[in-house]
Amino acid sequence: MILDNRGLEPPQPMMRTLTTLEKLNKGETLTIINDRRPMFLYEHLDDLGCTYTTTPNPDGSFQIDITK
């Protein structure tokens, strides 16, 4: 599942991401695309036991692959 958060102002990208993660089953992956690196999201993901990788895109956005 891909969630494009570009163009949204904080905290909307984080809230959308966390709400979508709640709907996923353990082991499923969510890919998000953000305008900026989601520094505050990482702590929440750690608390939830999720794993994630962050990849910068050529356009300056970031792709974060999150596995629940």
Side-chain angles (χ1 to χ4, degrees), residues 12-30:
Q12 288 178 327
M14 183 168 70
M15 300 312 296
R16 287 183 74 207
T17 298
L18 293 173
T19 299
T20 303
L21 273 175
E22 288 177 5
K23 299 173 186 173
L24 296 182
N25 295 314
K26 186 174 180 172
E28 291 185 313
T29 299
L30 171 65

Side-chain angles (χ1 to χ4, degrees), residues 1-56:
M1 172 178 242
I2 297 175
L3 187 62
D4 189 344
N5 291 323
R6 290 176 288 186
L8 299 175
E9 290 298 317
Q12 288 178 327
M14 183 168 70
M15 300 312 296
R16 287 183 74 207
T17 298
L18 293 173
T19 299
T20 303
L21 273 175
E22 288 177 5
K23 299 173 186 173
L24 296 182
N25 295 314
K26 186 174 180 172
E28 291 185 313
T29 299
L30 171 65
T31 297
I32 64 170
I33 303 170
N34 284 13
D35 290 322
R36 19 184 115 64
R37 189 180 299 268
M39 300 308 295
F40 296 111
L41 176 63
Y42 296 137
E43 184 177 332
H44 290 281
L45 297 177
D46 290 338
D47 290 345
L48 293 171
C50 297
T51 59
Y52 51 88
T53 57
T54 302
T55 307

